[in-house]
């Protein structure tokens, strides 16, 4: 049923024009909080009667006249402003919210006309202001179905208000965050992530609703519910479980760009690291990548690796915890394996200049069914190198693991321009520098490289890694001296 139409037997007759004109003349002052308490109370009572009358008529099956809808829009804007200026009591705000909600839901239906959109926007702005002033009342008023309805609206302002309501409520109310990750509220979380998924990367930093998406996710993570959200969304429409995980990881990466972002709880970071360890176990098998069903988990692996690479850029505490938890070992082993079976599909050159032949990697047999990584995780190798580079800066403990696991060979194998992994060469150079700084055994890996009979060692390439290279005339081996390279820029 449309909001608009001809009046039925129970007409939605507009208020007397003279009465309305008198009310309208004082509503602007009310919205600014400029009236006395008694005048405000009287006017609010009259406005509430208008809204309740419209709600009753609508629920009884009558349609709202265009004039009535226009007046409801004015009322919604007035109480929106009054709420922003604290000119509404908590009880008055709750009464208006309860009266407006059924009309707002009808306005958000796909069959609603464009004429109802101004009212929908003003009404959602009021509810967003209410959630800022009195989150408990807003959360009690709204149902999962109502929030899902608003989140499905295509209008950016309505979507912003809906995400702001959720963000305000779960930030201010610990119980709301817990509610959101359990039934029957999980569909709201699912719809929230689906809405974020429809925001393109190009739009992400230009839309105000994106920040509220991220803040809502931050509140869930802060309350310790990341794992519950990760696991609980499986089976909920409209996306697959892996797609939900990808959007969650994207939101976590987006949070790192917000000013004033709070550090993620250690448990949340450990949970992401565990996802990498579990997926890396199967991702080291070339045959796994050939199965179509692996593309979703593979994209999750790439996104989780990218997130940890960003987190370890400047947070030594996070990097140390990941080192202790075995993440560096996992990253090195996975890098070695995927570089082997991806060798036919990437550009080569620099590594051959350094070695004079293919890099000496253990078990370098390339599987017959090897295939390129899917586009969603084509840059996985680069993100692994970034993570290793950041963790190598921790010092001897990390450097020892790199040496023990033959990580230097894997990093040298990445010192080539690779169209699939932009800037992997630069990150590999930075990783090699960090791995060798003050660490003689890793330096010895470079020093042990012999000149090829057909290819002279390219000293310029090694100099890019942060080392001056000379040849010992007696042994024919390289002599390496430290020289710090510039740090690659995050993309």
């Amino acid at each position: 049923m449309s909001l608009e139409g001809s009046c039925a037997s129970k007409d939605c007759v507009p208020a007397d024009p003279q009465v309305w004109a008198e009310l309208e003349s004082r509503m602007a002052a009310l919205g600014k909080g400029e009236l006395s308490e008694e005048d405000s109370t009287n006017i609010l009572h009259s406005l509430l009667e208008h809204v309740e009358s419209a709600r009753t008529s609508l629920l009884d099956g009558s349609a709202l006249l265009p004039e009535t809808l226009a007046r409801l829009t004015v009322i919604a804007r007035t109480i929106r402003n009054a709420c922003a200026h604290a000119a509404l009591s908590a009880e008055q705000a709750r009464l208006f919210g309860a009266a407006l909600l059924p009309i707002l839901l009808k306005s958000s239906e796909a069959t609603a006309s464009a004429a109802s959109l101004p009212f929908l926007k003003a009404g959602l702005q009021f509810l967003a202001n209410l959630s800022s002033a009195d989150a408990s009342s807003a959360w009690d008023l709204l149902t999962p179905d109502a929030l899902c309805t608003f989140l499905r609206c295509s209008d950016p302002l309505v979507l912003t208000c809906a995400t702001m309501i959720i963000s305000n409520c779960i930030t201010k109310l610990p119980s709301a965050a817990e509610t959101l990750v359990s039934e029957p509220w999980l569909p709201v979380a699912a719809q929230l992530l689906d809405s974020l998924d429809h925001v393109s990367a190009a739009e992400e930093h230009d839309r105000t609703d994106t920040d509220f998406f991220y803040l809502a996710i931050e509140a869930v993570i802060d309350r310790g519910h990341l794992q519950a959200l990760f696991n609980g969304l499986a089976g909920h429409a409209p996306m697959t479980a892996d797609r939900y995980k990808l959007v969650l990881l994207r939101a976590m990466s987006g949070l790192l760009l917000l000013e004033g972002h709070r550090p993620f709880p250690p448990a949340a970071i450990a949970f992401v690291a565990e996802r990498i360890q579990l997926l890396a176990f199967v991702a080291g098998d070339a045959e796994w990548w050939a199965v179509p069903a692996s593309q979703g988990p593979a994209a999750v692996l790439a996104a989780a690796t990218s997130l940890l690479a960003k987190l370890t850029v400047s947070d030594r505490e996070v990097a140390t915890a990941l080192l202790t938890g075995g993440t560096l070992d996992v990253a090195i082993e996975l890098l070695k394996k995927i570089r082997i079976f991806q060798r036919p599909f990437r550009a080569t050159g620099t590594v051959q200049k350094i070695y004079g032949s293919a890099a000496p990697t253990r078990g370098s047999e390339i599987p017959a069914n090897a295939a390129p990584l899917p586009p969603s995780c084509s840059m996985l190798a680069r993100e692994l190198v970034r993570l290793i580079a950041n963790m190598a800066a921790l010092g001897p403990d990390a450097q020892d693991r790199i040496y023990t696991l033959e990580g230097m060979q894997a990093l040298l194998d990445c010192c080539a321009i690779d169209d699939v992994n932009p800037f992997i060469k630069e990150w590999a150079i930075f990783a090699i520098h960090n791995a060798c700084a003050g660490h003689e055994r890793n330096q010895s890996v470079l020093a042990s490289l012999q000149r090829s009979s057909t290819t002279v060692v390219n000293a310029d390439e090694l100099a890019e890694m942060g080392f001056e290279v000379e040849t010992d005339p007696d042994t024919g081996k390289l002599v390496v001296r430290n020289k710090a390279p510039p740090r690659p820029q995050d993309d």
Side-chain angles (χ1 to χ4, degrees):
M1 179 183 67
S2 172
L3 279 173
E4 299 178 75
S6 60
C7 292
S9 55
K10 296 182 180 179
D11 294 340
C12 304
V13 181
D16 180 87
Q18 185 176 352
V19 174
W20 176 257
E22 292 175 358
L23 275 175
E24 196 169 18
S25 67
R26 308 191 68 187
M27 277 195 282
L30 170 66
K32 297 177 183 179
E34 296 175 349
L35 298 181
S36 67
E37 183 177 348
E38 183 178 357
D39 286 345
S40 295
T41 300
N42 291 335
I43 293 174
L44 287 170
H45 180 74
S46 297
L47 296 180
L48 184 59
E49 284 184 341
H50 278 75
V51 176
E52 289 180 334
S53 175
R55 179 193 64 178
T56 300
S57 297
L58 192 64
L59 294 178
D60 285 347
S62 299
L64 298 182
L65 288 171
E67 187 177 354
T68 303
L69 189 58
R71 289 178 177 177
L72 286 173
T73 302
V74 175
I75 293 173
R77 289 171 177 164
T78 300
I79 60 171
R80 171 199 66 191
N81 296 341
C83 189
H85 290 90
L88 286 179
S89 69
E91 179 61 23
Q92 288 169 335
R94 283 193 291 269
L95 290 173
F96 271 106
L100 283 170
L101 186 59
I103 312 175
L104 291 170
L105 288 171
K106 184 62 67 174
S107 300
S108 63
E109 291 180 354
T111 56
S113 69
S116 64
L117 186 57
F119 167 68
L120 179 61
K121 290 180 178 180
L124 263 291
Q125 286 176 312
F126 160 66
L127 292 177
N129 288 344
L130 175 61
S131 70
S132 294
D134 187 358
S136 180
S137 292
W139 193 248
D140 290 342
L141 175 67
L142 292 161
T143 64
D145 286 345
L147 283 171
C148 284
T149 298
F150 297 139
L151 286 169
R152 284 191 288 265
C153 186
S154 60
D155 183 79
L157 179 58
V158 173
L159 190 56
T160 295
C161 290
T163 55
M164 181 180 177
I165 291 166
I166 296 171
S167 176
N168 284 339
C169 290
I170 64 177
T171 299
K172 298 171 182 290
L173 303 172
S175 60
E178 185 174 355
T179 300
L180 190 67
V181 299
S182 58
E183 298 291 357
W185 284 83
L186 268 170
V188 177
Q191 192 61 55
L192 183 74
L193 293 174
D194 181 63
S195 298
L196 176 58
D197 192 42
H198 283 82
V199 178
S200 68
E203 297 177 296
E204 189 168 347
H205 303 297
D206 297 325
R207 288 180 52 161
T208 54
D209 55 343
T210 306
D211 285 359
F212 290 115
F213 279 124
Y214 290 163
L215 292 172
I217 299 303
E218 181 180 51
V220 170
I221 295 172
D222 281 349
R223 305 293 186 190
H225 300 306
L226 177 62
Q227 182 172 353
L229 193 56
F230 237 72
N231 298 333
L233 288 170
H236 279 276
M239 298 194 294
T240 65
D242 288 325
R243 193 67 194 174
Y244 286 124
K245 294 172 185 177
L246 273 176
V247 180
L248 270 172
L249 292 167
R250 171 189 168 187
M252 293 177 74
S253 292
L255 276 166
L256 299 179
L257 302 176
L258 289 186
E259 186 176 351
H261 158 66
R262 296 188 296 276
F264 294 130
I269 297 171
F271 178 73
V272 174
E274 288 171 7
R275 300 311 95 192
I276 293 176
Q277 293 180 19
L278 289 172
L279 290 169
F281 180 76
V282 292
D285 183 355
E287 295 182 0
W288 180 76
W289 292 91
V291 178
S294 70
Q295 294 201 16
V300 172
L301 171 61
T305 303
S306 179
L307 174 63
L308 293 192
K310 293 171 183 175
L311 282 168
T312 53
V313 167
S314 58
D315 196 325
R316 189 176 182 86
E317 186 176 340
V318 168
T320 301
L322 292 175
L323 175 63
T324 304
T327 301
L328 178 60
D329 292 23
V330 171
I332 293 171
E333 291 293 351
L334 181 57
L335 177 65
K336 288 160 58 177
K337 291 175 181 176
I338 65 173
R339 292 300 281 181
I340 290 171
F341 62 75
Q342 288 296 295
R343 188 170 295 153
F345 312 106
R346 55 187 169 90
T348 58
T350 304
V351 67
Q352 292 171 342
K353 292 179 185 177
I354 295 175
Y355 280 100
S357 60
T361 309
R362 290 186 304 172
S364 58
E365 180 180 348
I366 300 172
N369 64 342
L373 300 186
S376 59
C377 52
S378 60
M379 292 189 289
L380 175 59
R382 186 195 69 183
E383 297 308 298
L384 287 167
V385 173
R386 288 177 67 186
L387 181 57
I388 294 168
N390 293 335
M391 296 183 71
L394 291 173
D397 289 344
Q399 293 168 323
D400 288 344
R401 296 308 300 161
I402 292 172
Y403 177 81
T404 301
L405 297 172
E406 298 185 4
M408 286 292 293
Q409 288 88 335
L411 293 170
L412 285 164
D413 190 36
C414 297
C415 290
I417 295 173
D418 188 338
D419 292 338
V420 177
N421 285 275
F423 302 109
I424 191 173
K425 171 185 170 183
E426 288 74 15
W427 278 104
I429 289 170
F430 185 60
I432 290 170
H433 176 268
N434 289 347
C436 290
H439 196 274
E440 293 183 0
R441 289 193 294 172
N442 283 334
Q443 291 179 17
S444 71
V445 175
L446 292 181
S448 66
L449 301 179
Q450 301 280 350
R451 285 189 179 186
S452 166
S453 58
T454 58
T455 306
V456 176
V457 171
N458 192 325
D460 291 338
E461 299 291 346
L462 290 173
E464 272 195 79
M465 298 176 194
F467 301 97
E468 295 178 339
V469 185
E470 297 177 356
T471 304
D472 188 315
D474 297 325
T475 65
K477 294 183 179 181
L478 300 177
V479 178
V480 184
R481 297 187 179 88
N482 278 340
K483 187 177 93 174
R487 184 187 185 94
Q489 296 296 312
D490 289 332
D491 48 320

